[in-house]
């Protein structure tokens, strides 16, 4: 039952020493030593985030700029990789999107932000998954036009503060944070330190993500943790929070074979792109939008208390396999197990009775609409 | 009454021919918050090293192994409703099963408390 040793070869975020000081259990994650939990434990961290505010070190994620001569040029360059409308993204606006391969499979999911300042016209800020940084950067570099370049950011940390008290806690040091709407971003000062703050996150709660200078990250986190509303939260609760919120985890719920339509994130395609096409795999994806897919991501509520984990078979009760669980576990806010997975078309309608196979036994489960716990974004 | 420990982090308290089995405080701390416990059927004959119960934490499922051969005489049904007891009182109220001892000679291969403490320090 012992955790694997955290090897000295793992990369460390600028907050590593603080995690250790706070008593975090450090585990290897995407090449980094990361806190999976602090002494309070995953359940307490999860519920604290839902009730007040949780602070997450997400500095392992990739931050990068796309830099071109003007917004139109840079946005068009990114639109060659993603199915979203980037050209018409307003200043200071942020959007969730996916990098696609030629078959319309998802190479990564990411956030793209157009800076609010006119002086930054032609720049787009990207945040990508830690486990996919190298793949994403290679893909972009190989396909960007000469006028647009990728600048990977190595000297900044990324801190998420999530929960109903998150913005108030951040605004005590960075008052401008309170003025951001959901999925908008702006540069601001946190106790005099220049930061880039977006109102977004990965828990279903209101909150912010702050890109901060690496050297100032610890001071910022210590200032936030001095607020009794804010507690440190590890990757364990980050995973249970995003599962309850019905959000996908790359490498589990999304991969290079899966299209955005199958993943039920077709909202990444805005209308102009659906009409014009012209993104990788657009033939498949537009065909799936018009004619449906063979499989679809669904949410599942289980009867009883036993969680079903990733890899569990989804069957018709007493019958054939119709799918597989891609994320599953205990939902602390619900006090019950939940799962998400892919099922063959025809079994994806909410209310459908299915069975999840755990340790050889069929556990009754029902297809339900996601999120499992309502989103509380600041619209 | 004697208490023994296994390398799989079970404890076993022996009283006559009855042995009570649970997981150690070290084990519960490694598991994290326990959210589900699955217990065996009373009457099931277990071989040493076989799965006696399953504990699921928020993170993952883990097995509790039978540290000796034995027939399941009793299970702690309270854990099904309150799995968090495994974290609160692992070496007391949160026992998993009582086994009817088949071969008292198997205790010789288990550790006493001092040996188990020394073992945990090597992990």
């Amino acid at each position: 039952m012992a955790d694997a040793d955290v090897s000295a070869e793992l990369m460390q975020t600028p907050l590593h020493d603080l995690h250790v000081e706070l008593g975090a259990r450090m585990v290897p994650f995407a090449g980094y030593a990361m806190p999976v939990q602090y002494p309070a434990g995953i359940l307490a961290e999860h519920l604290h985030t839902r009730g007040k505010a949780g602070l997450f070190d997400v500095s392992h994620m990739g931050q990068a700029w796309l830099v071109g001569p003007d917004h139109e040029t840079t946005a068009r360059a990114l639109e060659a990789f993603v199915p979203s409308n980037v050209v018409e993204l307003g200043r200071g606006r942020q959007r969730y999107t996916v990098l696609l391969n030629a078959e319309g499979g998802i190479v990564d999911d990411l956030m793209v932000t157009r800076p609010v300042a006119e002086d930054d016209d032609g720049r787009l800020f990207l945040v990508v998954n830690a486990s996919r940084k190298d793949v994403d950067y290679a893909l972009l570099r190989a396909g960007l036009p000469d006028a647009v370049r990728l600048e990977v950011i190595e000297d900044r940390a990324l801190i998420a503060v999530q929960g109903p008290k998150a913005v108030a806690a951040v605004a005590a040091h960075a008052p401008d944070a309170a003025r951001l709407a959901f999925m908008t971003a702006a540069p601001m000062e946190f106790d005099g330190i220049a930061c880039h703050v977006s109102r977004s996150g990965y828990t279903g709660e209101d909150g912010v993500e702050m890109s901060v200078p690496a050297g100032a990250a610890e001071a910022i986190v210590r200032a936030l943790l001095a607020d009794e509303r804010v507690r440190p939260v590890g990757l364990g609760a980050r995973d249970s929070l995003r599962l309850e919120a019905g959000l996908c985890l790359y490498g589990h719920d999304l991969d290079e074979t899966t299209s955005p339509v199958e993943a039920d994130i077709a909202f990444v395609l805005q209308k102009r792109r659906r009409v014009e096409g012209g993104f990788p795999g657009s033939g498949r994806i537009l065909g799936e939008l018009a004619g449906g897919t063979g499989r679809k991501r669904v949410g599942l509520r289980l009867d009883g208390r036993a969680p079903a984990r990733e890899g569990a078979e989804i069957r018709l009760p007493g019958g054939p396999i119709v799918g597989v669980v891609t994320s599953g576990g205990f939902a602390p806010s619900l006090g019950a197990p939940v799962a998400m997975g892919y099922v063959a078309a025809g079994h994806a309608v909410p209310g459908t009775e299915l069975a999840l196979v755990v340790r050889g036994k069929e556990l009754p489960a029902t297809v339900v609409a996601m999120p499992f716990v309502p989103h509380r974004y600041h619209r | 009454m004697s208490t023994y420990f296994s390398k799989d982090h079970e404890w076993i308290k022996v009283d006559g021919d009855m042995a009570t089995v649970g997981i150690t405080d070290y084990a519960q701390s490694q598991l994290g918050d326990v959210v589900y416990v699955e217990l065996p059927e009373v009457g099931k004959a277990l071989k040493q090293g076989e799965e006696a119960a399953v504990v699921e934490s928020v993170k993952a499922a883990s097995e509790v192994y039978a540290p000796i051969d034995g027939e399941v005489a009793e299970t702690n049904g309270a854990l099904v409703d309150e799995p968090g007891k495994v974290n609160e009182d692992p070496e007391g109220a949160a026992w998993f099963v009582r086994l009817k001892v088949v071969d008292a000679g198997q205790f010789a291969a288990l550790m006493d408390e001092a040996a188990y403490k020394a073992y945990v320090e090597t992990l």
Side-chain angles (χ1 to χ4, degrees), chain A residues 263-342:
Chain A
D264 200 23
I265 54 169
F267 62 83
V268 300
L269 291 104
Q270 281 80 34
K271 188 175 174 192
R272 180 176 65 81
R273 303 304 307 278
R274 294 182 188 219
V275 172
E276 294 177 5
F279 48 86
S282 57
R284 170 189 176 184
I285 290 170
L286 296 177
E288 288 177 350
L289 279 172
T293 60
R295 60 181 182 141
K296 193 144 200 175
R297 183 174 65 99
V298 297
L300 295 154
R301 283 293 295 262
L302 287 85
D303 293 357
R305 299 180 66 110
R309 309 285 179 180
E310 181 176 0
E313 286 173 1
I314 306 173
R315 293 177 175 270
L316 297 183
I321 298 171
V322 295
V324 64
V325 169
T326 51
S327 286
F330 183 78
S333 307
L334 303 172
V338 299
M340 61 171 81
Y342 285 81

Side-chain angles (χ1 to χ4, degrees), chain A residues 25 42-43 306 309 359 361, chain B residues 29-30 33 36 56-58:
Chain A
R25 181 177 297 172
I42 294 173
L43 280 180
R309 309 285 179 180
R359 292 182 286 277
K361 278 179 280 192
Chain B
S29 75
Q30 292 294 306
D33 300 304
Y36 174 74
E56 300 240 14
S57 70
V58 185

Side-chain angles (χ1 to χ4, degrees), chain B:
Chain B
M1 190 157 64
S2 311
T3 305
Y4 303 94
F5 295 85
S6 76
K7 284 200 165 183
D8 295 318
H9 307 287
E10 289 94 18
W11 55 259
I12 177 164
K13 285 180 186 157
V14 184
D15 189 4
D17 70 343
M18 203 57 75
T20 305
V21 177
I23 66 170
T24 64
D25 186 59
Y26 174 82
Q28 73 78 23
S29 75
Q30 292 294 306
L31 283 170
D33 300 304
V34 172
V35 295
Y36 174 74
V37 170
E38 190 171 287
L39 297 167
E41 296 285 323
V42 171
K44 185 174 183 183
L46 294 173
K47 286 277 180 208
Q48 188 177 35
E50 271 186 349
E51 179 185 301
V54 176
V55 273
E56 300 240 14
S57 70
V58 185
K59 281 188 292 183
S62 303
E63 293 79 31
V64 179
Y65 301 105
I68 54 165
D69 295 353
E71 183 184 309
V72 178
E74 195 181 346
T75 61
N76 187 0
L79 297 185
V80 174
D81 296 324
E82 287 187 83
K85 276 188 183 297
V86 176
N87 297 115
E88 290 158 21
D89 194 8
E91 300 188 17
W95 57 276
F96 284 75
V97 295
R98 294 211 161 99
L99 299 176
K100 195 165 184 306
V101 178
V102 175
D103 176 7
Q106 290 178 326
F107 298 130
L110 299 170
M111 289 176 274
D112 64 14
E113 184 165 13
Y116 177 70
K117 275 190 176 159
Y119 168 64
V120 165
E121 296 207 341
T122 67
L123 300 177

Side-chain angles (χ1 to χ4, degrees), chain A residues 146-220:
Chain A
D146 290 343
V148 180
R149 67 181 188 277
L150 180 77
E151 288 179 4
V152 175
I153 301 169
E154 305 280 14
D155 59 350
R156 297 182 79 81
L158 194 66
I159 299 160
V161 192
Q162 299 282 294
K165 308 289 187 191
V167 170
V170 172
H173 305 268
D176 289 349
R179 288 195 279 278
L180 291 175
F182 182 59
M183 297 298 272
T184 69
M188 57 188 72
E189 291 199 344
F190 183 106
D191 293 346
I193 302 160
C195 301
H196 187 262
V197 181
S198 69
R199 197 147 191 176
S200 63
Y202 190 49
T203 60
E205 296 296 325
D206 185 21
V208 297
E209 290 195 354
M210 308 168 60
S211 175
V212 309
E218 187 175 318
I220 289 169

Side-chain angles (χ1 to χ4, degrees), chain A residues 244 246 264 298-301 339 348-351 366-373:
Chain A
E244 284 185 345
D264 200 23
V298 297
L300 295 154
R301 283 293 295 262
V349 181
T366 307
V367 176
V368 296
M370 286 189 285
F372 299 105
V373 172

